[in-house]
Amino acid sequence: MAEKLPPVLNCIVNDCEFWGEGNMCHATSIWVGGDHPTCDTYERAEHHEYQADQASVRQCDVDICRFNESAVCHAPGINISWHSGHADCVTFEQG
Ligand code: SF4
Ligand code: SF4
């Protein structure tokens, strides 16, 4: 059986299209990217869109994170926060 993808437990980036009350992410799933643990699904918007109760991490390309294995995040869940005007995974740990 496929392993459950880790949920986005908390996101405080409240100008994102998928942000909702209680610091929930309501995207179906998110992508975390590249050289830096940025939430690539972040989209600045005037309105909020509801796609799902709670987003999960579909893919993460931050291969220097200790939770990353072949672009899959194995953390029990992740938190997203502001970093220099964009959204970052703050569960990231180098290792
Ligand atoms: S910044 Fe990322 S985790 Fe936060 S609400 Fe937007 S898509 Fe979801
Ligand atoms: S905890 Fe690590 S592997 Fe998981 S989404 Fe964040 S940066 Fe990627």
Side-chain angles (χ1 to χ4, degrees), residues 3-9 54-57 66-67 73-79 91 93:
E3 196 178 331
K4 194 175 173 294
L5 297 171
V8 179
L9 301 173
Q54 185 174 37
S56 53
V57 184
R66 75 179 187 93
F67 296 112
C73 175
H74 290 278
I78 71 156
N79 297 313
T91 308
E93 275 180 44

Side-chain angles (χ1 to χ4, degrees), residues 8 11 13 16 18-19 25 30 39 41-42 80 87:
V8 179
C11 174
V13 183
C16 175
F18 301 108
W19 183 89
C25 174
I30 71 163
C39 176
T41 310
Y42 169 67
I80 301 279

Side-chain angles (χ1 to χ4, degrees), residues 21 28 33 37 46 50 70 80 85 91 93 95:
E21 288 296 323
T28 308
E46 297 297 320
Y50 188 102
S70 305
I80 301 279
T91 308
E93 275 180 44

